[in-house]
Amino acid sequence: AQKITQTQPGMFVQEKEAVTLDCTYDTSDPSYGLFWYKQPSSGEMIFLIYQGSYDQQNATEGRYSLNFQKARKSANLVISASQLGDSAMYFCAMRERGTNAGKSTFGDGTTLTVKP
Amino acid sequence: GAGVSQTPSNKVTEKGKYVELRCDPISGHTALYWYRQSLGQGPEFLIYFQGTGAADDSGLPNDRFFAVRPEGSVSTLKIQRTERGDSAVYLCASSRGGDTDTQYFGPGTRLTVL
């Protein structure tokens, strides 16, 4: 069964520093996609970055990068040069191509607090 | 607007009542998804539409929950005989339709059952 594990309930980072949010996943499907979303206190889920299981390079989107280690089944999010507006809940999610195609499985999230 | 919209933003109802939650996806997106998010947890999958048909409804918790998408665009999630345990934020998302396409979420409907 597909499963996402985020082991850090809460993280703190100093403004302008980098932070890594951990995500490990479990799937038996060889083809899948990994996603990170940001959920501010307003509640809306904001898409940040995507990594396909067959992508050779780690995904990057501005200050966000995904450290994809397929053999270890990990997909950590790295936020560089943290800003106060980065304070939010962050969710890792996975979608498969097989019998579970369509639905996303989410972790329980990590609350990030950026300190001034 | 260009994003996914959901109405109402908040719904308070009494136990036993019927509620309908509406989702208007991004124009041109063929796939539509409903999730439920309880406090402090990640979203939990409910149902997924590809066009007008439900491609996967395995996440619906019981037969009190039902969703439709009659014209392949707007969807309505219907909950009969609401229970206090149904209180949560109901999120709708849409995507272009590929298996691993990015899902874009709406702002959610906060349902409170008294």
Side-chain angles (χ1 to χ4, degrees):
Chain A
Q2 51 185 341
K3 183 176 172 62
I4 296 285
T5 302
Q6 295 181 253
T7 57
Q8 305 154 314
M11 287 283 287
F12 291 89
V13 65
Q14 206 67 36
E15 193 179 8
K16 299 181 185 176
E17 293 186 350
V19 62
T20 298
L21 306 183
D22 294 343
C23 172
T24 58
Y25 61 92
D26 189 21
T27 178
S28 56
D29 195 322
S31 181
Y32 50 89
L34 295 157
F35 304 81
W36 277 91
Y37 289 87
K38 173 184 179 181
Q39 189 174 43
S41 55
S42 59
E44 189 158 356
M45 297 283 282
I46 302 167
F47 166 70
L48 296 178
I49 195 166
Y50 163 79
Q51 179 84 44
S53 59
Y54 292 119
D55 292 345
Q56 294 297 314
Q57 293 190 330
N58 287 342
T60 61
E61 288 286 348
R63 294 187 299 110
Y64 304 108
S65 60
L66 200 152
N67 184 0
F68 180 46
Q69 298 186 41
K70 193 170 182 178
R72 298 179 62 184
K73 293 189 174 179
S74 78
N76 298 339
L77 177 70
V78 180
I79 305 175
S80 63
S82 297
Q83 302 172 355
L84 295 178
D86 294 335
S87 293
M89 191 82 157
Y90 288 80
F91 290 97
C92 179
M94 176 175 65
R95 293 179 65 191
E96 298 173 335
R97 287 193 186 276
T99 55
N100 291 314
K103 68 172 88 172
S104 286
T105 298
F106 286 80
D108 283 336
T110 295
T111 302
L112 177 67
T113 303
V114 180
K115 296 180 176 179
Chain B
V4 178
S5 62
Q6 292 185 247
T7 55
S9 55
N10 280 283
K11 176 71 177 177
V12 180
T13 190
E14 293 180 345
K15 180 175 178 296
K17 299 290 189 183
Y18 168 83
V19 296
E20 289 189 352
L21 312 179
R22 176 190 167 107
C23 173
D24 202 337
I26 293 172
S27 178
H29 280 191
T30 61
L32 184 146
Y33 315 80
W34 284 99
Y35 291 85
R36 178 168 69 176
Q37 186 176 23
S38 300
L39 193 62
Q41 297 182 7
E44 175 189 22
F45 171 78
L46 295 176
I47 186 170
Y48 151 51
F49 287 90
Q50 187 65 266
T52 60
D56 185 347
D57 64 358
S58 62
L60 295 177
N62 51 59
D63 60 6
R64 294 188 297 106
F65 288 75
F66 189 71
V68 295
R69 194 185 185 201
E71 297 178 359
S73 179
V74 170
S75 175
T76 305
L77 178 66
K78 309 180 180 195
I79 310 174
Q80 299 176 320
R81 304 183 304 279
T82 51
E83 300 177 357
R84 293 193 179 90
D86 299 335
S87 296
V89 175
Y90 289 81
L91 295 167
C92 176
S94 70
S95 74
R96 288 179 300 163
D99 288 348
T100 56
D101 279 351
T102 298
Q103 297 174 348
Y104 295 92
F105 283 80
T109 294
R110 182 176 297 279
L111 175 66
T112 303
V113 182
L114 300 177

